[in-house]
Amino acid sequence: MKIASLDLKRQYESIREEVNNAVLEVLASQSFILGPFVESFEQKIAKYCSVRYAIGISSGTDAILLALMACGVKNGDEVITTPFTFFATAGSIVRLGAVPVFVDIDPDTYNIDVNKIAPAVNKKTKAILPVHLYGQCADMDAILEVARANGLMVVEDAAQSIGAVYKGKNAGSMGDMGCFSFYPTKNLGGYGDGGLVTTNNAELAEFIKILRVHGSKPKYYHSHIGVNGRLDAIQAAVLSVKLKYLNEWSEKRRFIASYYHEQLKRLPIRLPKIESHNTHIFHQYVIATPRRDTLMEYLKQQGIETAVYYPVPLHLQKCFDYLGYKRTDLPESEEASNETLALPIYPEITQKEQDYVIGQIKNFFLRNKS
Ligand SMILES: *Cc1c(COP(=O)(O)O)cnc(C)c1O
């Protein structure tokens, strides 16, 4: 049996007519940049995320970049973040001439270890950029407490966590701003690039709106140096359709995750841990074992595609050599890079397929006892 880690065609089949019509409506309107489709999507997604303002952005990466710009992050400032994330988290910090200060992760949740944040704060620190990895929120209460005590901004990288809940609060609604990605493989994926900044702060919302149109308001009058960072209308139309199904899809992901958990819990592997105050949306279902590479190869031979998010923690990336980190500096992140493996999870995966994945993982550990 062949099993892909993700099959977007199945989802498209289930909404084909509705989404095709939505795209055709944009074509008929010939209104592609901002305008009514983007505005209507922004209103719906703000409600979904329980925030006052949602601003459609060209990508998740640009959302982080603009949010940091709106925080006033500039040359020489420091931003505290996790090294166990997608490159864009730290790349956006460096794009502004600032320095990413990496602190290690909690090995249970793979999110930033909140106890390591306060010791990393100094006079240059401007913001904290936690990531809600794999669909589970970081410990925001502790993060906000350090931020308040030190006058720091908090930007949530919620690219993988749309709809996740922490102590009754939505991902992206707790910090000064939240950043989302609509990259096609994300839980709410567009048909191209897209992103979002959320906030409850009217001034920040207005600033983000200005920054996404080259820092101008009105047009051709530039108070700031912004970027071309708009969500386009076709993406907004697609996302408006898909948003209606997001809760149902998240529920299915949770069901698939709990089935993995039941079936795999007796094997010598570490399964995802969900903090009791969190609602996980399982963007990824990630297990861990020291035999990760051989397990991955074995599954590949059985036709099962798995993935590693992420094989090199950011503090050890070649482009960040100049920051001066070395191996063993952030041991939990390094171990996670060596031992984690993401299993296929998406709302449309069938029970038969999931049973096959589970069966093959069990086979691997039966054959490779010790
Ligand atoms: C996907 C992702 C991003 C970047 O989003 P793009 O839309 O691809 O630019 C940033 N951070 C994290 C954690 C992500 O998973």
Side-chain angles (χ1 to χ4, degrees), residues 59-61 64 85-86 88-89 131 157 159-160 181-183 186 194 310:
S59 71
T61 304
I64 300 169
T85 176
F86 180 58
T89 311
V131 178
D157 180 344
Q160 301 187 2
S181 165
F182 305 126
Y183 186 79
K186 297 284 158 77
Y310 296 87

Side-chain angles (χ1 to χ4, degrees), residues 96-135:
L96 296 173
V99 180
V101 174
F102 296 116
V103 306
D104 214 351
I105 55 168
D106 170 350
D108 283 344
T109 60
Y110 306 109
N111 281 326
I112 194 164
D113 181 344
V114 293
N115 298 313
K116 305 223 161 91
I117 297 175
V121 174
N122 64 44
K123 285 196 304 268
K124 292 183 186 164
T125 312
K126 191 82 176 216
I128 308 173
L129 179 43
V131 178
H132 305 320
L133 201 70
Y134 302 147

Side-chain angles (χ1 to χ4, degrees), residues 185-220:
T185 62
K186 297 284 158 77
N187 286 27
L188 179 62
Y191 291 177
D193 278 309
L196 189 81
V197 173
T198 52
T199 183
N200 287 310
N201 180 315
E203 277 170 38
L204 287 173
E206 179 63 15
F207 198 5
I208 295 284
K209 279 188 174 175
I210 290 173
L211 288 172
R212 79 171 166 180
V213 287
H214 301 284
S216 67
K217 190 186 179 184
K219 205 173 186 180
Y220 307 126

